[in-house]
Amino acid sequence: MDKYLIKPDKKIKLSEWNTRETSLWEKNKEDAKSELIKINEEVEKLQELLFAEKKHKLLIVLQAMDTGGKDGVIRSVFEGVNPSGVRVASFKVPTQIELEHDYLWRIHQQTPAKGEIVIFNRSHYEDVLVVRVHNLVEKEIWSARYDQINAFEKILFEEGTTIIKFFLHISKDEQKERLQERIDIPEKRWKFSNGDLKERTLWDDYQKAYEDVLQKTSTNYAPWYLIPSDRNWYRDYLIGTILLEKLKSLKMKYPTPEEGIEKIKVI
Ligand code: AMP
Ligand code: MG
């Protein structure tokens, strides 16, 4: 999966990253879906262990252009996990109170506790994406944030949080189809907002902003993965696999039970 791992300071040109490729899966789409079911089962067991051990904290950051598939990933990759130990934090337009604090204030409150997995659906990266593209703060302010974000994530890491960040990379054509679907299919209309069309006209500015994010904030302690995401099944397969590898690498074990437990007979 290192193919999609962004090395620190790597120069990124998103137009050179194919959004449709499926090179790490040689079989067909249906096989990938069955593989994902197996991955889900393993993730489920390891999540239970993470919850029981209460030692590690896992933070997963999802970022994408509109229609990029963040919700889809949450649905298919985390299917079956125990909801007691997994939480989704979605970051929307900041409220007045949030705006009165620094941009990391609302983020830090949602970071995982011991034994917990938290998925960020959008994140502090919006503060160098939408905020930059729409000039919501001056350049001097947003441009200082890359270093601040690295420092913030370093604190989380040094205090025991494992961080994985995924950028779901779709093409502009794919977005066009997905937006049109949201208009044409009645059950999908709730997802559509006119604002999405306005954002689409700013596609190039967003791509540039994402390039800077990937270039400046992929670190050894909080790496970015650039996931080709035009094909949902491949996107889910990759993220599931990376997540599983990460969980395995934590070398978790169940806590030691109380001494003499094996002799206890419940009457
Ligand atoms: P959605 O994820 O479709 O529900 O939309 C959430 C909206 O909130 C998106 O348009 C984001 O760009 C916006 N958003 C999230 N974080 C921020 C932020 N820090 N500043 C401004 N807008 C934000
Ligand atoms: Mg939206």
Side-chain angles (χ1 to χ4, degrees), residues 24-264:
L24 295 189
W25 185 257
E26 278 149 17
K27 292 181 256 169
N28 63 30
K29 169 176 162 177
E30 292 317 314
D31 289 335
K33 288 186 175 176
S34 337
E35 180 66 18
L36 183 61
I37 293 172
K38 287 189 213 147
I39 293 170
N40 286 348
E41 283 167 6
E42 282 193 74
V43 165
E44 223 179 295
K45 284 189 205 129
L46 288 168
Q47 184 266 322
E48 177 79 17
L49 184 52
L50 184 122
F51 187 67
E53 194 186 34
K54 244 185 181 315
K55 177 177 170 192
H56 297 278
K57 317 161 193 181
L58 179 59
L59 175 60
I60 296 160
V61 174
L62 298 179
Q63 283 289 159
M65 297 293 285
D66 287 329
T67 74
K70 299 188 301 320
D71 298 310
V73 167
I74 294 169
R75 248 183 285 117
S76 37
V77 178
F78 294 91
E79 209 192 310
V81 295
N82 175 0
S84 309
V86 181
R87 187 157 57 81
V88 178
S90 299
F91 295 97
K92 310 279 182 186
V93 178
T95 63
Q96 189 55 38
I97 293 174
E98 285 169 348
L99 283 172
E100 287 168 12
H101 291 80
D102 70 84
Y103 69 101
L104 292 171
W105 181 73
R106 64 173 183 165
I107 306 294
H108 208 162
Q109 296 177 55
Q110 299 292 344
T111 54
K114 287 179 179 172
E116 214 181 14
I117 297 178
V118 174
I119 305 149
F120 278 4
N121 183 344
R122 303 186 189 269
S123 64
H124 42 305
Y125 286 99
E126 293 293 327
D127 294 283
V128 284
L129 290 162
V130 62
V131 168
R132 165 178 170 171
V133 169
H134 287 276
N135 300 306
L136 301 181
V137 300
E138 282 171 29
K139 178 170 185 188
E140 196 188 327
I141 301 289
W142 64 253
S143 59
R145 289 181 174 170
Y146 303 96
D147 288 344
Q148 293 164 2
I149 287 172
N150 288 338
F152 170 66
E153 292 179 354
K154 192 159 193 222
I155 295 173
L156 297 180
F157 169 75
E158 288 179 349
E159 290 284 322
T161 305
T162 301
I163 307 172
I164 328 175
K165 303 180 294 198
F166 296 106
F167 170 57
L168 316 180
H169 184 32
I170 57 166
S171 64
K172 197 174 179 188
D173 285 343
E174 181 66 27
Q175 190 194 52
K176 180 179 173 192
E177 283 183 27
R178 294 183 184 189
L179 283 173
Q180 193 63 53
E181 266 193 3
R182 288 185 179 184
I183 294 165
D184 296 343
I185 303 177
E187 291 76 24
K188 290 197 174 179
R189 284 185 187 151
W190 64 275
K191 278 195 173 192
F192 181 79
S193 113
N194 262 315
D196 294 346
L197 299 180
K198 165 95 201 306
E199 294 309 287
R200 181 170 162 78
T201 64
L202 300 169
W203 180 274
D204 291 344
D205 294 345
Y206 272 106
Q207 295 288 295
K208 171 117 207 5
Y210 267 112
E211 285 172 350
D212 275 350
V213 161
L214 295 166
Q215 226 157 272
K216 294 174 195 273
T217 64
S218 200
T219 54
N220 294 324
Y221 51 87
W224 276 105
Y225 286 87
L226 207 171
I227 303 292
S229 298
D230 278 1
R231 297 179 198 266
N232 298 352
W233 62 268
Y234 189 61
R235 169 201 78 196
D236 295 343
Y237 161 71
L238 289 181
I239 295 179
T241 304
I242 293 165
L243 172 67
L244 182 57
E245 279 176 4
K246 199 41 126 185
L247 284 168
K248 283 182 178 163
S249 75
L250 297 179
K251 308 251 176 288
M252 299 178 284
K253 50 185 191 334
Y254 281 102
T256 330
E258 288 181 27
E259 224 182 309
I261 191 169
E262 64 282 356
K263 296 192 197 98
I264 300 174

